[in-house]
Amino acid sequence: MDIARLSQLWEQRWPGCSKVPYLLRGLTDRWVRFHTLPGSKRYPETEAEYNIILGRHHTVLTELVTAPAVLVVTPAYSDQPTPPRQGRSAEATAVQPGATYWTSACIDDEPDSTSWIHFYVSETPWVAAGLDPLLRHVADDIIANVLITDVDLQWLYHPYDGGMDVILPTTAERDSLRRRHSEWLSAHPTGL
């Protein structure tokens, strides 16, 4: 993984944008949020509900992915600007074992309580069900702040417990995706 190239590409494609996944929805002209369970239910309770969640992720990702691989970014957290010695959680390491440290971002800079998120990236062959272990951990809120993207960073996909944020290159592409899956949209006026 060429980390320097990846950082340079990020600045070309997403200039001035934070890499913190939950902040990407600030790109409101290209952002859409879909919920992964009917009625905006947040957490699955049955295997049937996991199947709905995974099915919705597969559907959207299959529409986005056009190459044989995707980049998957998983986090670690610390109170320092450098990554923790132990790296990511055991769960994140288990589902993305070959990830390489990419970069870090301050997520809370209050006096006496500085927090940092450290991003680890791996290139993963694209198979719809290949990300299921990761997506199940996300659905259960075991792993948060995951980012999936194509290798050229043309689009960004942030699965979270309850749904997915998708950021597309243009407003027109966002609108088209939104129309195709309008039944998965939130009823909230802001789209959250």
Side-chain angles (χ1 to χ4, degrees):
M1 179 67 57
D2 184 344
I3 298 304
R5 179 191 171 280
L6 182 61
S7 294
Q8 184 179 44
L9 187 58
W10 181 277
E11 289 307 317
Q12 289 172 354
R13 300 274 194 253
W14 307 100
C17 291
S18 171
K19 295 172 186 78
V20 178
Y22 62 83
L23 295 176
L24 293 170
R25 68 178 184 237
L27 297 165
T28 56
D29 62 327
R30 295 179 279 164
W31 164 80
V32 62
R33 172 171 282 183
F34 298 114
H35 289 174
T36 48
L37 284 173
S40 299
K41 183 177 179 181
R42 188 118 189 198
Y43 297 104
E45 298 177 70
T46 67
E47 198 58 36
E49 288 179 331
Y50 280 107
N51 290 336
I52 292 169
I53 289 170
L54 295 173
R56 289 184 181 188
H57 283 301
H58 295 170
T59 297
V60 175
L61 282 166
T62 298
E63 292 179 29
L64 297 174
V65 177
T66 60
V70 293
L71 297 180
V72 177
V73 181
T74 53
Y77 304 92
S78 76
D79 59 0
Q80 300 293 320
T82 54
R85 206 168 59 126
Q86 76 277 10
R88 299 169 299 145
S89 69
E91 294 85 0
T93 301
V95 296
Q96 288 302 119
T100 302
Y101 171 70
W102 175 21
T103 191
S104 299
C106 185
I107 53 176
D108 186 2
D109 60 358
E110 294 296 318
D112 300 323
S113 67
T114 303
S115 297
W116 289 80
I117 185 170
H118 309 282
F119 298 107
Y120 292 76
V121 63
S122 64
E123 187 171 318
T124 303
W126 169 244
V127 177
L131 297 177
D132 285 1
L134 173 64
L135 294 171
R136 284 180 76 105
H137 281 327
V138 169
D140 291 333
D141 198 23
I142 294 169
I143 301 174
N145 292 308
V146 169
L147 188 63
I148 301 167
T149 182
D150 68 314
V151 295
D152 291 325
L153 303 180
Q154 294 290 328
W155 49 264
L156 305 171
Y157 186 91
H158 166 50
Y160 69 92
D161 56 322
M164 65 195 85
D165 289 336
V166 183
I167 298 88
L168 292 164
T170 67
T171 302
E173 289 171 273
R174 185 270 322 258
D175 291 347
S176 177
L177 184 68
R178 182 189 306 208
R179 279 191 300 276
R180 288 194 304 274
H181 306 294
S182 60
E183 68 279 8
W184 301 346
L185 295 170
S186 168
H188 192 277
T190 64
L192 293 173

